[in-house]
């Protein structure tokens, strides 16, 4: 295992950004302190050739100038959408930035993806941390949050999130890496249900079966484009939540997570697939969905593992 910190560039205001490089088991990962961004993941294909399999930019300036795609970013305080940019908790309504049409999206106008994080080495990787003050982007409570990136002995990338608060709040974190394994992709999901959306891309509250829809990926099929849906992951299944495979390169990505949902985003204008392990969209306004409320004395803990192989 090798971990090193190197200069990562500067932001427009001159702020220094560092790049942490993790190497183990044939995998090399680059993580920026700006936005907790996974800037690169280099793994071999079927022919042994090593390539970067994530979308992004070569410097922090690129991410700062083009924040919209959230390339590789650590997203929070709340990943995905909150309807109307507001939610009510314990009888108090909290107003958030409406940066996604009429909704709050991915933590607001300046979410976790647009902050420079503190970094410290840990066994096998790096731990990023910051304090989100009470009221940041409209969210209540002072939130102490961390994301730890490590590589295991097989070269799998593990991201572990933790957070504590001093007042009731909502938290839902994810990583927004777009994967391109080297050609057209096939995908398999351990998801027999999804959350249908209204015209504003907000869940209707229904949990529907994927049977007979284009969202049935329980057996491998081409990903295609035009996907932006939250899948309800099956529980009690022995196996990964998702598999992404490129028949061209032979690269295989498997995803395991403690989260209940997986947002699959495969837009028409980008040559990559985002697999966002997360809570359901708009959970603070949907009592039927798994709760995203965090209270003082509790610990928010979430983990996702990205493993790489060839077939």
């Amino acid at each position: 295992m090798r971990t090193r910190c190197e200069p990562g560039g500067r932001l427009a205001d001159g702020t220094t950004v560092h790049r942490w490089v993790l190497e183990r088991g044939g995998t090399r990962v680059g993580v920026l302190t700006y936005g907790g961004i996974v800037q690169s993941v280099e793994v071999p294909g079927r022919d042994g050739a090593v390539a970067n399999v994530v979308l992004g930019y070569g410097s922090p300036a690129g991410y700062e100038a083009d924040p919209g795609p959230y390339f590789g970013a650590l997203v929070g305080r709340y990943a995905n959408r909150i309807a109307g940019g507001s939610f009510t908790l314990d009888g108090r309504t909290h107003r958030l930035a409406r940066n996604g049409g009429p909704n709050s999206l991915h933590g607001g106008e300046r979410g976790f993806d647009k902050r420079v994080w503190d970094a410290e080495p840990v066994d096998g990787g790096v731990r990023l941390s910051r304090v989100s003050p009470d009221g940041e982007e409209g969210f209540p409570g002072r939130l102490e949050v961390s994301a730890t990136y490590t590589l295991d002995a097989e070269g799998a990338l593990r991201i572990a999130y933790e957070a504590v608060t001093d007042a009731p709040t909502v938290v839902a974190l994810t990583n927004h890496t777009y994967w391109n394994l080297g050609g057209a992709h096939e995908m398999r999901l351990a998801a027999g249900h999804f959350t249908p959306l209204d015209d504003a891309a907000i869940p209707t509250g229904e949990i529907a079966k994927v049977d007979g829809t284009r969202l049935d990926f329980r057996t491998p099929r081409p990903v295609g484009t035009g996907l932006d849906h939250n899948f309800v992951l099956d529980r009690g299944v022995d196996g990964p939540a998702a598999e992404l495979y490129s028949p061209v390169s032979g690269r295989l990505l498997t995803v395991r997570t403690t989260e209940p949902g997986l947002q699959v985003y495969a837009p028409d204008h980008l040559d990559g697939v985002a697999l966002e392990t997360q809570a359901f969209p708009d959970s603070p306004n949907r009592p039927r969905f798994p709760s995203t409320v965090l209270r003082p004395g509790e610990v928010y803990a979430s983990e996702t593992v990205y493993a790489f192989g060839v077939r």
Side-chain angles (χ1 to χ4, degrees):
M1 176 70 204
R2 291 189 293 174
T3 303
R4 68 179 186 272
C5 178
E6 60 188 29
R10 293 183 182 274
L11 301 179
D13 64 1
T15 301
T16 297
V17 175
H18 292 97
R19 170 182 162 92
W20 287 77
V21 180
L22 289 54
E23 294 184 70
R24 192 175 192 180
T27 304
R28 182 165 57 206
V29 175
V31 178
L32 298 180
T33 53
Y34 177 66
I37 289 169
V38 175
Q39 187 183 29
S40 61
V41 176
E42 298 171 73
V43 293
R46 186 190 296 117
D47 60 2
V50 174
N52 179 27
V53 295
V54 305
L55 304 188
Y57 295 105
S59 71
Y63 297 97
E64 189 178 23
D66 185 21
Y70 297 90
F71 286 133
L74 195 172
V75 176
R77 278 192 197 191
Y78 198 94
N80 217 306
R81 296 170 178 86
I82 295 180
S86 71
F87 66 95
T88 301
L89 178 60
D90 296 341
R92 180 182 175 188
T93 298
H94 300 275
R95 306 292 181 184
L96 313 173
R98 295 185 179 186
N99 63 313
N103 310 310
S104 176
L105 175 65
H106 290 334
E109 294 176 348
R110 193 171 177 225
F112 288 179
D113 60 295
K114 300 172 185 69
R115 309 283 178 170
V116 176
W117 293 62
D118 295 328
E120 60 180 331
V122 297
D123 186 23
V126 61
R127 179 179 181 268
L128 302 184
S129 62
R130 71 177 299 264
V131 174
S132 175
D134 178 33
E136 185 173 79
E137 294 297 316
F139 289 94
R142 178 183 185 272
L143 193 76
E144 298 179 21
V145 60
S146 70
T148 303
Y149 303 69
T150 56
L151 293 179
D152 67 17
E154 286 72 44
L157 172 62
R158 185 182 305 266
I159 305 180
Y161 309 89
E162 285 194 1
V164 295
T165 182
D166 67 355
T169 191
V170 295
V171 182
L173 307 180
T174 194
N175 175 268
H176 208 293
T177 292
Y178 294 80
W179 303 92
N180 185 327
L181 303 179
H185 294 98
E186 297 175 357
M187 182 170 68
R188 187 187 71 80
L189 303 178
H193 297 79
F194 72 105
T195 52
L197 304 174
D198 64 18
D199 292 340
I202 294 295
T204 62
E206 179 187 6
I207 295 178
K209 293 182 178 180
V210 299
D211 302 66
T213 75
R214 72 185 186 103
L215 302 181
D216 190 350
F217 287 93
R218 289 173 293 181
T219 57
R221 52 179 289 205
V223 176
T225 58
L227 288 176
D228 192 7
H229 296 79
N230 173 62
F231 291 83
V232 178
L233 296 175
D234 299 335
R235 289 305 174 193
V237 175
D238 184 19
E243 292 182 345
L244 191 67
Y245 174 63
S246 168
V248 177
S249 70
R251 293 186 182 91
L252 173 68
L253 168 69
T254 62
V255 181
R256 297 177 184 270
T257 185
T258 58
E259 289 298 296
L262 177 74
Q263 185 84 11
V264 177
Y265 183 41
D268 297 333
H269 62 286
L270 292 174
D271 194 14
V273 183
L275 302 174
E276 306 163 54
T277 59
Q278 58 186 37
F280 297 174
D282 200 35
S283 289
N285 294 312
R286 303 289 173 176
R288 290 186 59 205
F289 288 178
S291 176
T292 56
V293 174
L294 181 68
R295 298 185 180 277
E298 300 175 342
V299 177
Y300 171 92
S302 172
E303 184 174 83
T304 296
V305 179
Y306 308 90
F308 310 98
V310 293
R311 180 185 292 166

